[in-house]
Amino acid sequence: MTELDAAAPNNPLYLLRNYSNGFANTAAFDALDIDNGASAVLSGRDGLAPFTDAVTWRNKTSSPEAILNYMSVLNGMGLTMVYDVGRPSEGNLDPLEDLAAKRDLPLRVFHTLRYSASDEASTNDALELINGGAKPFSNDPQFGLLGLGEHIYAPMLDNANWTKEWEEGTWGPFSEISFAAARNGWTVHEHVMSQATAVQYLNLIEDIAKEIPEVSELRWTFAHVNGIQDEDIARAAELGVAFGVHSQARMSVRAMDAPRIGSLSRSGALWGLGSDAGIVAPANPFWTLEWAISGTNVAGRSGWSEDQRVSREQALRAHTTYNAKLLFVEDDLGTLEVGKLADLVVLDQDYMTIEATEISSIKPVLTMTGGEVVYQSAD
């Protein structure tokens, strides 16, 4: 508390550490009339709720000014494009759609279909949408709907410790949605942390491919893949499955949470780097790049062996060129070429020569989206 009060003696300050832990200063507790004694620590979802409600928006709709302000922060980190794989409970997309219609977005935003399937009735509603109520790739290079995810059936939610095969009561609706997605040409970006889920899902995709071979062209993506093993990666590559690796794994000090990105890179499978921001890990791409290259976790210790780290060039391609392919925008974005949209960033240090453990200190001095300057440092 002393450190937070010294940093912000007059302004309420709230810092989220992860889903269920955070910190606040005295002014923040006073603003919400909460007595937390001398402790700055917040624990549990209920403990965080007053703060998350206060700093986001109670009706889950934000003002255009707040959206643009947050986008400017991301532009300042060098980001020009994001993929929002959220659920209806995480916010209303109407304000974003309005801004995109006016061509006012400094950040390209693609999103998944907003629905919540958790029981028979809601699954039927979701299937109605997937089967024709909505269309995949309803986007332009600026904004719009791409695919399904990150939880296409909400009860199918694994973690890195998950070791069991999913029972039919959960796997049945998940399979039904997966088949519907393939039949209707949807790309899927699904939360797959454990090896057990990865194996069961690969078995399902093999079954889907027998009926719908085109599924191999849809770039279905396994997100996180903390527990996936080399034999699973090889199977996935053969099936056309891609991988989205997120630096949320850097927030853990457990070796089991470190995905095998070296194996991913060597497999020939399509894979991309991201963060899982903003409530799980920092959005800063240079923090992610440093992690992928140096292998150090949040405690500064090595998270995995050297053969599971990647080179600077591999990491950079995964965060740019390969991500553009994951989002089906490689014809317009992902590389600097004549005829493509001019998204680029100018850095204050040389990414290729700086010490690997100092890559996170790199800062953009200028960011452009579509040839327009969206961020420029004060210097």
Side-chain angles (χ1 to χ4, degrees):
M1 183 77 83
T2 302
E3 290 178 291
L4 296 183
D5 286 346
N10 302 314
N11 298 322
L13 176 63
Y14 165 68
L15 300 173
L16 182 68
R17 181 179 179 272
N18 56 29
Y19 279 110
S20 56
N21 291 282
F23 308 93
N25 68 348
T26 299
F29 285 111
D30 289 346
L32 296 176
D33 195 25
I34 295 174
D35 182 7
N36 207 46
S39 174
V41 178
L42 302 160
S43 298
R45 301 300 289 271
D46 291 341
L48 296 180
F51 294 86
T52 54
D53 285 348
V55 300
T56 55
W57 47 90
R58 293 184 184 277
N59 64 355
K60 299 298 183 186
T61 301
S62 190
S63 69
E65 293 77 17
I67 292 171
L68 293 172
N69 182 59
Y70 183 53
M71 287 183 172
S72 70
V73 172
L74 297 180
N75 290 151
M77 296 177 184
L79 292 172
T80 62
M81 178 172 63
V82 297
Y83 191 26
D84 180 347
V85 292
R87 290 159 282 188
S89 61
E90 293 169 347
N92 185 346
L93 292 171
D94 291 346
L96 270 173
E97 190 168 359
D98 291 342
L99 285 169
K102 299 173 183 174
R103 316 308 296 170
D104 282 342
L105 292 182
L107 187 77
R108 304 182 194 281
V109 181
F110 306 123
H111 63 87
T112 48
L113 182 63
R114 287 297 207 260
Y115 71 85
S116 181
S118 57
D119 53 26
E120 184 177 358
S122 57
T123 297
N124 288 335
D125 290 342
L127 288 169
E128 195 172 316
L129 276 174
I130 294 166
N131 286 326
K135 292 185 178 180
F137 307 110
S138 300
N139 64 285
D140 58 27
Q142 182 80 14
F143 173 80
L145 169 65
L146 277 184
L148 306 181
E150 175 189 26
H151 303 287
I152 63 172
Y153 183 64
M156 209 288 283
L157 173 59
D158 77 340
N159 56 54
N161 296 320
W162 187 264
T163 58
K164 300 180 292 184
E165 185 170 285
W166 292 92
E167 297 179 353
E168 181 60 24
T170 299
W171 197 251
F174 179 84
S175 300
E176 190 174 7
I177 291 172
S178 295
F179 266 97
R183 291 189 189 105
N184 291 280
W186 289 91
T187 184
V188 175
H189 190 102
E190 180 62 30
H191 182 286
V192 181
M193 273 197 164
S194 69
Q195 184 190 24
T197 300
V199 169
Q200 194 170 1
Y201 201 7
L202 288 170
N203 292 340
L204 174 61
I205 294 172
E206 283 185 345
D207 290 341
I208 292 172
K210 293 173 186 175
E211 177 186 328
I212 312 144
E214 296 81 7
V215 69
S216 65
E217 305 299 321
L218 293 176
R219 303 177 194 174
W220 282 18
T221 303
F222 286 9
H224 306 305
V225 291
N226 302 58
I228 201 163
Q229 298 300 306
D230 287 3
E231 60 269 25
D232 314 316
I233 294 170
R235 281 185 69 197
E238 290 179 2
L239 290 167
V241 173
F243 299 94
V245 181
H246 304 97
S247 58
Q248 55 82 217
R250 191 179 188 184
M251 302 299 288
S252 173
V253 296
R254 304 185 305 177
M256 67 178 295
D257 286 328
R260 300 178 65 78
I261 60 175
S263 295
L264 292 179
S265 182
R266 291 187 291 270
S267 72
L270 176 62
W271 68 288
L273 280 172
S275 63
D276 206 17
I279 60 173
V280 181
N284 190 326
F286 298 101
W287 201 77
T288 301
L289 291 166
E290 178 181 288
W291 164 73
I293 295 159
S294 70
T296 55
N297 59 28
V298 72
R301 300 195 297 270
S302 176
W304 62 78
S305 60
E306 189 168 348
D307 71 316
Q308 293 306 326
R309 305 170 200 172
V310 293
S311 70
R312 294 170 194 246
E313 183 176 346
Q314 289 170 323
L316 187 59
R317 288 183 183 278
H319 221 312
T320 54
T321 307
Y322 302 162
N323 275 346
K325 290 181 179 178
L326 284 179
L327 300 183
F328 291 83
V329 292
E330 68 268 28
D331 289 343
D332 294 317
L333 300 163
T335 55
L336 296 177
E337 297 181 64
V338 173
K340 287 193 174 183
L341 303 176
D343 287 15
L344 60 90
V345 58
V346 181
L347 308 178
D348 69 342
Q349 300 176 80
D350 186 349
Y351 166 78
M352 295 302 292
T353 60
I354 191 173
E355 286 290 332
T357 53
E358 295 179 7
I359 289 173
S360 61
S361 71
I362 294 175
K363 292 181 173 56
V365 296
L366 181 139
T367 305
M368 294 175 66
T369 301
E372 298 292 329
V373 175
V374 293
Y375 169 78
Q376 191 166 357
S377 70
D379 310 343

